[in-house]
């Protein structure tokens, strides 16, 4: 836990998110009375507390949260570390559905999933850390290395960590299905025919067909709870995209 605290301080000092408001976090009840947490937008301060509140509310209503669905370009490093920590403790699966993306800080949250599910039409990417001015410094390099270590603790293979630490903060290394499978991700559908985005600023998601929640949520997911969860491993997050 001391190591986690020191990493949080390092990340908080290295990167300051420009996000002013927290992500949109809500619980969604799907077909078959399956309840998930859906996160969209930038990861920001308060998201972990909000997610924990959603889990508690579900538990108080005799329901269990089955998974966390992600659609985020990144956000606060320190907050993503804490959110990943919560997800890992609760043994929750993570999902990136068709038409969604999960990059930068979001990748660490995705990697924390007890099980990981992704569509071929999702975009999941990694890159290095920059400061709030978009600069890479000795301090941000340390933060990137720390992030790589935490990702490794979640089972992210060296190839992906290598792409993370060598990709400039203003670029994104989009992961291939084979790379995602190498970190234990289950691909939920067959490959499509869409090209990946050419830059982090592309509004390419607007043209994708978003599938229904019933289709994007794997049927084999077990319901999970925060109750009786083991202590967490270490986690980390990623920089805010301008």
């Amino acid at each position: 836990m001391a190591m986690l605290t020191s990493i949080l301080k390092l990340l908080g000092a290295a990167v300051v998110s420009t996000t002013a408001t927290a992500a949109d976090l809500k619980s969604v009840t799907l077909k078959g009375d399956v309840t998930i947490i859906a996160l969209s937008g930038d990861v920001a301060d308060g998201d972990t507390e909000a997610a924990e509140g959603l889990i508690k509310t579900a538990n108080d209503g005799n329901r269990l949260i089955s998974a966390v669905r992600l659609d985020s370009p990144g956000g606060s490093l320190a907050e993503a570390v804490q959110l990943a920590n919560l997800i890992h403790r609760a043994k929750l699966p993570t999902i990136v559905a068709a038409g969604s993306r999960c990059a930068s800080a979001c990748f660490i949250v995705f990697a924390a999933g007890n099980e990981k599910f992704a569509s071929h039409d999702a975009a999941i990417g990694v890159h290095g850390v920059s400061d709030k001015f978009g600069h890479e410094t000795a301090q941000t390099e340390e933060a990137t290395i720390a992030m790589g270590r935490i990702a490794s603790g979640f089972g992210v293979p060296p190839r992906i960590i290598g792409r993370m630490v060598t990709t400039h903060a203003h670029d994104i290394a989009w992961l291939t299905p084979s790379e995602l499978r190498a970190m234990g991700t289950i691909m939920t559908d067959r490959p499509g025919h869409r090209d990946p985005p050419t830059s982090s600023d592309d509004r390419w998601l607007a043209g994708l067909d978003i599938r229904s929640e019933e289709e994007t949520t794997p049927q084999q997911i077990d319901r999970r709870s925060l109750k009786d969860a083991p202590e967490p491993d270490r986690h980390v997050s990623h920089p805010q995209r301008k």
Side-chain angles (χ1 to χ4, degrees):
M1 186 59 74
M3 176 66 73
L4 177 58
T5 300
S6 65
I7 288 174
L8 285 171
K9 289 180 179 178
L10 172 64
L11 295 178
V15 181
V16 179
S17 173
T18 58
T19 304
T21 58
D24 180 18
L25 267 164
K26 59 186 177 182
S27 62
V28 179
T29 300
L30 308 177
K31 185 177 179 180
D33 200 30
V34 173
T35 301
I36 66 169
I37 291 175
L39 180 152
S40 60
D42 296 310
V43 178
D45 291 349
D47 285 343
T48 304
E49 184 178 356
E52 196 163 14
L54 290 173
I55 293 173
K56 184 178 185 304
T57 298
N59 290 168
D60 290 345
N62 294 318
R63 291 180 292 116
L64 299 179
I65 298 296
S66 295
V68 178
R69 188 178 62 192
L70 302 167
D71 186 3
S72 170
S76 166
L77 285 172
E79 190 67 26
V81 170
Q82 295 185 71
L83 182 58
N85 185 57
L86 173 65
I87 288 171
H88 188 72
R89 283 170 52 204
K91 294 187 176 181
L92 288 168
T94 49
I95 302 168
V96 185
S100 298
R101 69 173 163 178
C102 179
S104 193
C106 181
F107 174 75
I108 297 300
V109 179
F110 175 71
N114 181 58
E115 296 172 290
K116 292 169 279 290
F117 299 88
S119 166
H120 283 90
D121 286 335
I124 300 174
V126 297
H127 63 153
V129 176
S130 67
D131 64 18
K132 64 180 179 179
F133 303 108
H135 301 148
E136 291 181 317
T137 65
Q139 193 173 39
T140 63
E141 287 180 6
E142 289 180 19
T144 298
I145 292 170
M147 182 169 54
R149 288 174 180 158
I150 292 173
S152 178
F154 286 137
V156 177
R159 174 185 170 88
I160 295 177
I161 293 172
R163 299 191 72 187
M164 177 189 295
V165 300
T166 59
T167 300
H168 191 277
H170 296 298
D171 297 323
I172 294 183
W174 298 104
L175 303 182
T176 65
S178 62
E179 287 174 320
L180 291 171
R181 290 190 188 96
M183 59 180 282
T185 302
I186 297 170
M187 306 307 292
T188 61
D189 52 17
R190 295 181 179 181
H193 301 287
R194 299 182 178 97
D195 294 328
T198 57
S199 77
S200 61
D201 295 325
D202 283 351
R203 306 308 300 168
W204 61 281
L205 284 179
L208 296 183
D209 295 327
I210 309 293
R211 300 185 182 184
S212 67
E213 290 166 340
E214 290 82 1
E215 291 175 321
T216 57
T217 303
Q219 296 299 316
Q220 63 267 54
I221 293 177
D222 294 329
R223 298 188 179 185
R224 312 282 175 172
S225 168
L226 189 58
K227 298 175 181 177
D228 303 321
E231 283 302 308
D233 288 342
R234 303 163 189 164
H235 306 52
V236 81
S237 115
H238 242 149
Q240 172 69 27
R241 204 173 291 137
K242 297 199 183 245

